[in-house]
Amino acid sequence: MTRLIFLGPPGAGKGTQAKNLAEFLHIPHISTGDILRQAITDQTPLGIKAQSYMDKGELVPDQLVEDLIKERLHQPDTQNGWILDGFPRKVTQAAFLEELLAEIGQGGEKVVNLDAPDEVVITRLLGRGRKDDNEEVIRRRLEVYREETAPLIDYYSDRQKLLTVNGNQSPEEVTTALENVIAA
Ligand code: B4P
């Protein structure tokens, strides 16, 4: 049973690694960013509410992502494990997740902290060129990461759930490092 949470700054490689690992393990890759972007494309009520926040590099309100995570983790395909990519991003979201997992009997999760320096992630994201990948928005996403998300490193370390992987290597090297920490 693999239940993993990917943590790290924007551009650290969370989406890249989480997608591959989930395919390999045959478990769902649950990316809040992907779900929100799809909702924006489909112009659903969720997408319409989320768009202005995402365009500015701000986090969308907790309630929106918490509702979608609750709904997603109740789906039957989560029974054999999952990878959460982009959730939680704040201590309040982590507390919500802890309660949700206790309620649905899906504890035992590990948290992978994938890290890479600012200059590296900025270069990667500018190269990708998604709508929220322009320099001003990237800098705001990094600020938000430092203020809101980085405290989760201590949060999960205190709970003995944290695994750390250096994201500043080639994708293949990151995958190998990831496999090693998970297997250990
Ligand atoms: P996300 O979609 O989660 O985007 P991200 O943090 O920028 O990382 P991503 O996973 O896409 O990039 P990756 O590092 O894999 O979030 C977008 C927005 O959604 C947020 O700003 C927020 O508004 C909203 N949101 C999402 N979840 C939320 C939540 N819980 N609460 C509130 N709001 C929420 O890859 C980046 C690039 O690097 C790619 O081009 C990739 O090919 C490249 N790359 C990856 N690994 C590499 C490597 N080792 N070497 C070289 N390049 C690499």
Side-chain angles (χ1 to χ4, degrees):
M1 174 71 60
T2 307
R3 291 179 183 137
L4 285 178
I5 294 170
F6 274 61
L7 206 65
K14 303 182 297 293
T16 307
Q17 298 295 330
K19 178 173 175 289
N20 291 342
L21 187 61
E23 272 172 21
F24 179 70
L25 296 171
H26 303 287
I27 54 177
H29 167 216
I30 303 173
S31 158
T32 40
D34 286 352
I35 295 170
L36 292 168
R37 277 184 290 278
Q38 189 60 50
I40 291 174
T41 302
D42 297 342
Q43 285 291 288
T44 65
L46 169 66
I48 291 165
K49 284 184 205 140
Q51 182 155 24
S52 60
Y53 297 96
M54 290 178 73
D55 285 351
K56 288 190 288 231
E58 303 293 340
L59 296 180
V60 309
D62 283 358
Q63 186 77 51
L64 297 182
V65 276
E66 290 174 1
D67 285 352
L68 82 80
I69 281 294
K70 184 172 185 176
E71 210 259 345
R72 187 64 188 84
L73 286 179
H74 274 95
Q75 300 299 315
D77 67 343
T78 59
Q79 290 307 312
N80 296 324
W82 37 253
I83 298 182
L84 283 188
D85 164 15
F87 188 93
R89 255 184 162 91
K90 288 167 71 177
V91 170
T92 46
Q93 294 180 6
F96 169 86
L97 182 65
E98 208 165 277
E99 271 186 35
L100 176 66
L101 296 179
E103 183 190 310
I104 60 180
Q106 292 190 2
E109 73 283 7
K110 289 279 180 197
V111 179
V112 176
N113 177 33
L114 201 57
D115 206 3
D118 283 8
E119 322 81 72
V120 170
V121 303
I122 291 170
T123 307
R124 286 182 188 173
L125 293 172
L126 287 173
R128 177 172 65 180
R130 206 169 65 192
K131 194 176 173 207
D132 58 346
D133 287 340
N134 67 70
E135 188 148 357
E136 192 191 337
V137 175
I138 293 169
R139 292 207 181 272
R140 180 60 195 145
R141 282 156 64 199
L142 282 167
E143 266 174 27
V144 170
Y145 168 77
R146 270 189 287 273
E147 287 162 15
E148 306 271 20
T149 311
L152 290 176
I153 296 171
D154 282 346
Y155 180 96
Y156 284 118
S157 173
D158 290 348
R159 287 162 176 73
Q160 276 91 43
K161 291 180 192 274
L162 197 74
L163 309 170
T164 298
V165 172
N166 174 15
N168 189 17
Q169 334 178 52
S170 72
E172 297 74 23
E173 287 168 327
V174 177
T175 303
T176 305
L178 191 55
E179 285 167 359
N180 289 338
V181 294
I182 294 170

